[in-house]
Amino acid sequence: MDTGFRQTVMRLLRENMPAHKRNYALAVVAMVLIAASTSALALLTREIVNDVFVAQNKAAIGGVVGAVIGLSIIRGFATYGQTVLMTKIRAAIVASLQERQFAAYLAQSASVFSGASPAQFMAKINLSAASASTVLMTVTTNLVRDGLTLAGLIAVMVSQDPIMSVFALVIAPLVMGGLSRIMKRIKQLAAAQRDLEANVISSATEGLQGIRVVKSFLLESEVMRRVGKAIRAREARINKLARTEAISSPLMETLGGILIAAFIVYAAWQSLTLGKSPGEFVAFITAFLLAYEPAKRLARMNLQVQKAIVPVQQMYEVLDTMEPEAALAGTAELQVPEGAIRFENVSFTYPGQSAVLTDVSFDIAPGERVALVGRSGAGKTTIVNLLLHMMQDYAGTISIDGTDIHTVTLDSLRRSTAFVAQHTFLFSGTVRENIRFGRPDATDAEVEAAAKAANAHDFIERLPGGYDAEVGDSGDLLSGGQRQRISIARALIKDAPILLMDEATSALDGESETAVMGALDSLMENRTTVVVAHRLSTIEKADKIIVLDAGRIVATGTHAELSERSPLYASLFLGLAEAETGAEPAADTKTAPEA
């Protein structure tokens, strides 16, 4: 057992078991009763054979029968108590580790999740927690229960025949030597199993999430090929691991059979030559046979722990190396009396990619409406993410009302901003709950007022249940336009001095967009607004337009100014005009998920 292995097991015990010491103490009492009753049953067989069958003592029958029944009852109830208590502890530990890992991921910068599948994160969290509980339960249950049971049965064996006991114990090191080689191989095979489990979940989730695209492009066979490939890779690893683990069974069975055959020869010699009573031999064999299962479990315990320890070590690597994004932020409270924003020579690069922003500098005056425009990948959304401090490792300075946002707490920064995302996300729950996420202490009247300002009140009233209607997973019971307006209401109710919108009206039809933009006009008064815009109506109403290309600002000005002196802006504007002229508005009512 290597040092890292021992340290991981000890850390698991140290961090998780103290909270359950009362239940575990009761479980240990149950384990002691199991061990004692099992050993007593083995010892009782000597009296059964010698007194009842050899001596034919009728008076002993009642006592022996009563003892067997009593010991069996004790053993049964003790097993029940130990199982219930340890299952309760196991479930609590799994829940605790799942919450701990999820909290650690949730505290990370948004850049940690870029390019990664949520299903992979959840698969790793679940597997790590389950593996940790397996390690803990194996160590705390098998080691104690089976160790005590084995010790009691060995005591019975030694008391009946010391010579046969010594012979049995000599074989143990040979077994352990063979198992140690198996352990090393199992650890190697288990190292990659966690990723294979995550790949299966990720591939299947991806295919189901994009089911409309899959069906519309006839991609069923391709999705099935990918999922099948991941499943077969996992299947092959499981089979290989099972073959390696199973090698211990023939090893134990063969050596056990040889021992029993040797004991029979030895006992027959003692009985025929020395006249020894058969009760001692039967008690010894009974104890030996009863000791086989706990001994086998103890022998395999290291195999099971070695198999499960890899995901646990990977879990601790993540927990120990992850630094919460709040730790990278400042400690001052941001005050936003006006809402002026300044970018000074800001550059940003995602890990392993080329620069997304290069030396970006601009000023936004208090209450000014600024539209960010440019081709896809120009860096528009990255500017919004940096303002929200979703990523901290940028060069340059971003300040709000003269305060570098690196020096302020994340909570105070994000309390000062309201955000409407490009891809609308709603939580499962009711319409009211989703709007109230913007300000948890908002009254029902304030929720309805925000919905009215976002032109959402009327359609909400028509939903079954109104504001208490369920929106479904990710809002899939609503249309795109309905989801968008609820997200706008969520931003409105926050009443923050700075408003950030990433294509906030992209899912609205023309009529709804007109109504929502009218409501936003009044909201934007004396509030600084930054909009990642692709719609003409949004761009034309901006006080200032910043044109980006390949991560750099290439032009700044009003719509009229840029139309004359910026060829890139003119081409973008013309393309938008042509696209919107031929576009059909999205339907705003929905009875099934929108395509």
Side-chain angles (χ1 to χ4, degrees), residues 203-204 206-208 214 219-228:
S203 299
E206 183 181 59
L208 295 175
V214 170
L219 295 175
E220 288 92 341
S221 58
E222 173 60 21
V223 170
M224 197 61 241
R225 185 190 66 80
R226 293 187 179 192
V227 174

Side-chain angles (χ1 to χ4, degrees), residues 93-395:
I93 289 172
V94 169
S96 173
L97 289 174
Q98 286 174 328
E99 289 179 355
R100 183 179 172 187
Q101 291 181 83
F102 188 77
Y105 279 117
L106 200 61
Q108 299 308 299
S109 166
S111 59
V112 170
F113 304 98
S114 60
S117 165
Q120 287 185 316
F121 283 105
M122 288 311 303
K124 289 180 180 180
I125 287 173
N126 291 336
L127 180 60
S128 296
S131 298
S133 70
T134 296
V135 172
L136 285 171
M137 293 303 101
T138 301
V139 171
T140 57
T141 303
N142 289 21
L143 189 61
V144 176
R145 181 196 62 201
D146 293 335
L148 288 172
T149 301
L150 188 60
L153 291 171
I154 288 174
V156 172
M157 290 164 59
V158 171
S159 68
Q160 300 309 300
D161 197 308
I163 295 177
M164 282 197 295
S165 301
V166 170
F167 183 66
L169 294 175
V170 167
I171 301 297
L174 299 177
V175 176
M176 295 308 299
L179 291 178
S180 64
R181 294 186 178 182
I182 300 173
M183 282 190 302
K184 293 179 181 178
R185 181 58 180 156
I186 285 179
K187 190 173 182 180
Q188 294 171 353
L189 292 173
Q193 186 170 347
R194 185 188 194 197
D195 290 334
L196 290 175
E197 297 278 357
N199 285 341
V200 171
I201 295 174
S202 178
S203 299
T205 302
E206 183 181 59
L208 295 175
Q209 284 179 336
I211 190 65
R212 295 175 206 167
V213 175
V214 170
K215 289 186 175 297
S216 62
F217 285 89
L218 302 176
L219 295 175
E220 288 92 341
S221 58
E222 173 60 21
V223 170
M224 197 61 241
R225 185 190 66 80
R226 293 187 179 192
V227 174
K229 182 179 179 182
I231 290 173
R232 285 191 297 275
R234 174 180 172 273
E235 179 188 15
R237 180 57 53 89
I238 290 173
N239 289 337
K240 196 168 186 178
L241 198 56
R243 288 194 299 271
T244 306
E245 279 187 288
I247 292 175
S248 61
S249 292
L251 179 65
M252 295 290 290
E253 296 287 349
T254 302
L255 289 174
I258 292 173
L259 274 175
I260 291 174
F263 293 157
I264 292 173
V265 171
Y266 176 73
W269 174 77
Q270 282 196 320
S271 179
L272 295 174
T273 306
L274 303 178
K276 196 170 184 179
S277 65
E280 284 78 4
F281 172 70
V282 172
F284 179 90
I285 288 295
T286 301
F288 178 78
L289 293 176
L290 288 174
Y292 175 72
E293 282 302 324
K296 187 169 74 171
R297 285 195 295 267
L298 285 173
R300 291 175 61 86
M301 184 184 75
N302 215 2
L303 300 177
Q304 294 172 332
V305 174
Q306 287 281 4
K307 177 185 174 183
I309 204 69
V310 176
V312 179
Q313 291 172 333
Q314 292 173 342
M315 175 187 73
Y316 278 131
E317 286 174 9
V318 171
L319 292 175
D320 293 342
T321 56
M322 273 188 169
E323 189 172 18
E325 61 174 350
L328 304 174
T331 56
E333 289 291 311
L334 177 64
Q335 303 297 326
V336 188
E338 297 181 330
I341 298 172
R342 169 171 286 182
F343 272 55
E344 295 180 81
N345 305 116
V346 174
S347 298
F348 178 76
T349 303
Y350 288 104
Q353 300 181 25
S354 56
V356 180
L357 295 178
T358 305
D359 291 328
V360 170
S361 299
F362 58 82
D363 285 286
I364 300 177
E368 192 172 32
R369 306 178 192 181
V370 174
L372 304 177
V373 301
R375 297 187 180 95
S376 178
K380 307 181 296 297
T381 300
T382 300
I383 288 176
V384 172
N385 286 336
L386 290 177
L387 272 170
L388 289 166
H389 226 204
M390 294 293 183
M391 292 88 70
Q392 291 88 6
D393 49 345
Y394 58 86

Side-chain angles (χ1 to χ4, degrees), residues 30-40 144-145 147-150 152-153:
M31 293 179 206
V32 171
L33 290 174
I34 292 171
S37 58
T38 302
S39 301
V144 176
R145 181 196 62 201
L148 288 172
T149 301
L150 188 60
L153 291 171

